[in-house]
Amino acid sequence: MASFNKVILVGNVTRDIELRSINSGSSVCDLGMAVNDRKKTASGEWVEEVTFVDVTLWNRLAEIAAEYLGKGSLVLVEGRLKFEQWESDGQKRSKLKVVGDRMQILGNKKDSAVQQTPRVSGGFSQGSHDEIPF
C-alpha cells in the first residue's frame, strides 16, 4: 500500500524569522504562516477563516528565508506533514507541522524600500536541481 504526504501552502509569515544552527552545523528556522480561506455563511455573508501553520525549513532554504522573509511576507511553501510528540511538565504534547522542501517568495524582500518581487526560476528548493519547476 502506497502513501502520499504533500502540502502546498500560500500565506503570510506571522513573525520575523530566527535562524539558528544545530550541533551538526545545519541551519534551521521555524516560521509561522497564516493561510486565509474565504467562506460564505448560510446567511450569504462572506467571512475570512484563518488557519495558522508552523513550518520548519532546513539548511540553505532556512538561510534564504531568514534573509528575504519577514513578518507579513507572502510565501508559497511545499513540504510534508510531520507529527511531533513530546512531554512537558508531565503533560504529553503533540503538534502537526509542515517540513518545507521548496519555497517561492511571492511578496517583497523584507526591509526593502523598493517594491519588487525577487524572481527565482522554479523557486528555492532543498531537493535536486533536476526537479521540474511548475
Side-chain angles (χ1 to χ4, degrees):
M1 176 179 230
S3 62
F4 185 73
N5 183 356
K6 181 82 165 183
V7 176
I8 301 173
L9 300 169
V10 175
N12 295 93
V13 176
T14 61
R15 60 186 177 270
D16 286 331
I17 310 287
E18 293 183 25
L19 184 67
R20 62 188 190 281
S21 293
I22 59 174
N23 291 339
S24 68
S26 295
S27 299
V28 62
C29 73
D30 294 309
L31 62 102
M33 286 182 68
V35 180
N36 298 324
D37 190 22
R38 191 168 177 220
K39 294 184 175 186
K40 200 174 207 179
T41 64
S43 64
E45 178 183 359
W46 286 99
V47 293
E48 291 275 331
E49 185 177 279
V50 181
T51 302
F52 295 97
V53 181
D54 291 323
V55 178
T56 300
L57 302 173
W58 289 91
N59 300 314
R60 184 68 182 134
L61 202 56
E63 294 165 4
I64 292 167
E67 182 178 348
Y68 288 97
L69 298 177
K71 184 177 180 177
S73 297
L74 185 62
V75 65
L76 178 145
V77 172
E78 290 183 41
R80 60 185 168 80
L81 291 174
K82 182 176 181 186
F83 185 70
E84 292 187 343
Q85 295 179 319
W86 70 96
E87 194 169 312
S88 176
D89 299 326
Q91 298 278 359
K92 290 185 178 182
R93 309 259 186 215
S94 62
K95 180 192 318 191
L96 189 61
K97 65 186 229 176
V98 172
V99 177
D101 298 320
R102 292 179 46 86
M103 174 183 68
Q104 178 70 49
I105 298 168
L106 303 175
N108 301 325
K109 179 179 176 181
K110 73 175 184 181
D111 302 327
S112 174
V114 180
Q115 300 273 329
Q116 294 181 347
T117 302
R119 300 215 182 268
V120 178
S121 175
F124 300 110
S125 176
Q126 287 286 112
S128 162
H129 294 289
D130 297 333
E131 294 179 11
I132 300 170
F134 290 30

